[in-house]
Amino acid sequence: MTGTNTAVEWLASVAPDPQACRREWERNPLGVALLPAGSAWDVLILPGQLGYRTLDVLTRVLDRPGPVLVDFGDERMGFFVPPGTATRWLGTGIRTAGAGTWIVVPYPGRSSPGGVRWLVPPDGSGMLTDPALLELAMHEAAAWLATEKDDSDD
């Protein structure tokens, strides 16, 4: 199987009906489907500016982070993390999607016109971003953003 096929299988495996999920990806003009968080992964949703800086930090220390989504307009970014992370997360200003929540997920390897898209697509291996590493990267990114803001205030 190719990377895209295994990513599709991995993502669709959490759907109540994986075949229906694949059909939704095929038929939906935006190429998206709703999938439940909480079984194979949770999602931590960061404001766009913080999310991009956090991803910059992560890619400096990791060969490849887990899957990362970004919404239309780059306002929010979702990092896929291990299940259970959402219930334990205490970060201010960070939204979570865990058990009992659903998220819009685009088909891997295909662009969604004007909607949610993958910045780091899943590779099908099930690799997720370590929440402790993500938190450290967020702190570094927030410090960088605060310094940048202070410099622009001068």
Side-chain angles (χ1 to χ4, degrees), residues 37-126:
S39 63
W41 34 260
D42 285 355
V43 182
L44 296 182
I45 304 163
L46 283 62
Q49 190 177 26
L50 176 61
Y52 273 104
R53 287 292 171 201
T54 299
L55 184 58
D56 286 344
V57 173
L58 281 175
T59 56
R60 285 196 314 259
V61 296
L62 295 173
D63 287 336
R64 186 178 195 282
V68 180
L69 289 172
V70 67
D71 72 352
F72 176 71
D74 297 347
E75 295 296 319
R76 288 178 297 279
M77 190 177 295
F79 290 81
F80 280 49
V81 293
T85 302
T87 59
R88 297 184 303 271
W89 194 262
L90 299 174
T92 303
I94 307 303
R95 295 173 46 202
T96 62
T101 60
W102 293 70
I103 64 166
V104 174
V105 179
Y107 187 89
R110 190 180 307 151
S111 296
S112 175
V116 176
R117 67 187 189 283
W118 292 106
L119 286 179
V120 179
D123 63 6
S125 71

Side-chain angles (χ1 to χ4, degrees), residues 136-151:
L136 291 172
M138 287 170 48
H139 286 291
E140 184 175 326
W144 189 90
L145 288 169
T147 300
E148 184 179 69
K149 183 183 178 306
D150 289 345
D151 290 346

